[in-house]
């Protein structure tokens, strides 16, 4: 059947219900859901989880979530609520505490972390927060795609995250799309929720 024949068939059905308001509304809803791409994600359904915790912890939650998103390890001073961040590869190369002085002498003034790399070791009490595992980061990305409206973008992203190199393919598309800012907001809220659910109790128990 040609496209013209298909169109005529559709018009016949449409004419048959032209005076039926309920049927027209039902048809319109179906057509919008199936064929009209909505450029908005209803983030109002995803609460700002920071508002559920005491105000003094909210900046800490945002900072740790930001470090986590960037792949940094966070060190949280449970007395002052100060936060330090460090790339995982640098942390894994740190010497034992008794070797700190010798190691610091080898650091140059141009080293990015030379002034603060050992600051967390001077704290009386702190907790260490690792970046997300790739499987957990993937679930956040998958949840975002699940919340997109039906349409071209959702189809592309579904294919991206279910194929090879899901993170790279997802980012290649999302950063050039109209969903870029929505993704950042969504991701921030999900990372903040993870920090609250997994670590806040450790901070408040010691604080």
């Amino acid at each position: 059947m040609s496209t013209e024949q298909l169109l005529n068939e559709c018009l016949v059905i449409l004419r048959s219900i032209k005076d039926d308001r309920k049927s027209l509304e039902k048809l319109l809803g179906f057509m919008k859901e199936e064929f009209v791409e909505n450029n908005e994600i209803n983030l109002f359904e995803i609460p700002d989880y920071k508002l559920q915790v005491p105000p003094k912890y909210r900046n800490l939650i945002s900072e740790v979530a930001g470090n986590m998103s960037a792949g940094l390890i966070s060190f949280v001073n449970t007395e002052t609520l100060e936060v330090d961040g460090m790339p995982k590869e640098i942390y894994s190369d740190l010497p034992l505490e008794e070797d700190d002085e010798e190691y610091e002498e080898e650091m140059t003034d141009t080293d990015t972390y030379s002034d603060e790399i050992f600051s967390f070791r001077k704290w009386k009490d702190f907790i260490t927060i690792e970046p997300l595992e790739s499987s957990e980061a993937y679930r956040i990305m998958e949840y975002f795609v699940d919340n997109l409206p039906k349409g071209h973008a959702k189809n592309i992203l579904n294919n991206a995250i279910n194929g090879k190199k899901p993170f790279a393919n997802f980012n290649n598309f999302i950063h050039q799309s109209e969903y870029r800012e929505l993704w950042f907001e969504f991701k921030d809220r999900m990372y903040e929720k993870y920090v609250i659910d997994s670590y806040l109790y450790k901070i408040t128990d010691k604080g």
Side-chain angles (χ1 to χ4, degrees):
M1 188 178 291
S2 68
T3 54
E4 184 175 353
Q5 289 173 318
L6 288 170
L7 177 59
N8 288 333
E9 290 283 343
C10 291
L11 291 174
V12 169
I13 296 173
L14 185 59
R15 291 191 190 98
S16 70
I17 61 171
K18 65 183 180 66
D19 297 320
D20 186 339
R21 182 183 179 87
K22 287 187 177 181
S23 295
L24 288 171
E25 288 176 344
K26 185 176 181 180
L27 177 61
L28 179 62
F30 171 80
M31 292 174 68
K32 282 184 175 180
E33 181 178 353
E34 289 295 321
F35 306 116
V36 179
E37 185 168 347
N38 184 354
N39 290 333
E40 296 182 358
I41 296 175
N42 187 3
L43 284 177
F44 293 107
E45 294 182 359
I46 303 171
D48 186 347
Y49 298 100
K50 295 194 306 297
L51 300 180
Q52 301 173 8
V53 304
K56 70 175 183 177
Y57 297 112
R58 292 174 188 171
N59 287 338
L60 178 154
I61 290 166
S62 293
E63 192 169 352
V64 172
N67 285 346
M68 192 175 285
S69 179
L72 303 180
I73 294 177
S74 290
F75 306 96
V76 179
N77 187 320
T78 55
E79 292 183 339
T80 66
L81 304 184
E82 183 181 357
V83 177
D84 270 353
M86 181 183 298
K88 197 168 185 176
E89 58 272 18
I90 291 181
Y91 180 66
S92 63
D93 289 338
L94 285 182
L96 298 175
E97 289 192 40
E98 56 265 26
D99 298 328
D100 281 0
E101 185 175 347
E102 179 181 349
Y103 189 78
E104 282 186 290
E105 291 176 357
E106 297 176 2
M107 300 288 285
T108 67
D109 292 336
T110 57
D111 285 325
T112 305
Y113 294 87
S114 59
D115 293 333
E116 58 186 41
I117 197 167
F118 296 99
S119 62
F120 69 92
R121 286 186 171 175
K122 297 179 175 68
W123 294 343
K124 181 179 178 181
D125 203 359
F126 67 91
I127 66 170
T128 302
I129 300 179
E130 297 273 349
L132 284 184
E133 296 291 337
S134 59
S135 59
E136 294 165 331
Y138 179 88
R139 280 195 289 271
I140 290 175
M141 188 170 64
E142 185 179 44
Y143 184 36
F144 176 80
V145 176
D146 287 344
N147 276 272
L148 285 173
K150 291 181 180 179
H152 179 65
K154 183 168 186 171
N155 292 337
I156 289 179
L157 289 172
N158 261 322
N159 290 333
I161 66 174
N162 287 297
K164 293 181 179 180
K165 299 182 179 179
F167 291 97
N169 290 330
F170 176 90
N171 286 325
N172 286 340
F173 178 80
I174 204 71
H175 289 174
Q176 303 298 323
S177 76
E178 67 270 31
Y179 292 111
R180 182 176 182 272
E181 295 304 320
L182 287 173
W183 161 241
F184 288 146
E185 183 175 358
F186 183 95
K187 183 181 178 183
D188 286 346
R189 290 194 178 186
M190 292 299 100
Y191 274 67
E192 288 168 356
K193 182 179 187 302
Y194 182 85
V195 173
I196 293 169
D197 292 346
S198 301
Y199 293 102
L200 186 61
Y201 74 94
K202 296 181 181 180
I203 299 168
T204 56
D205 284 350
K206 291 187 176 184

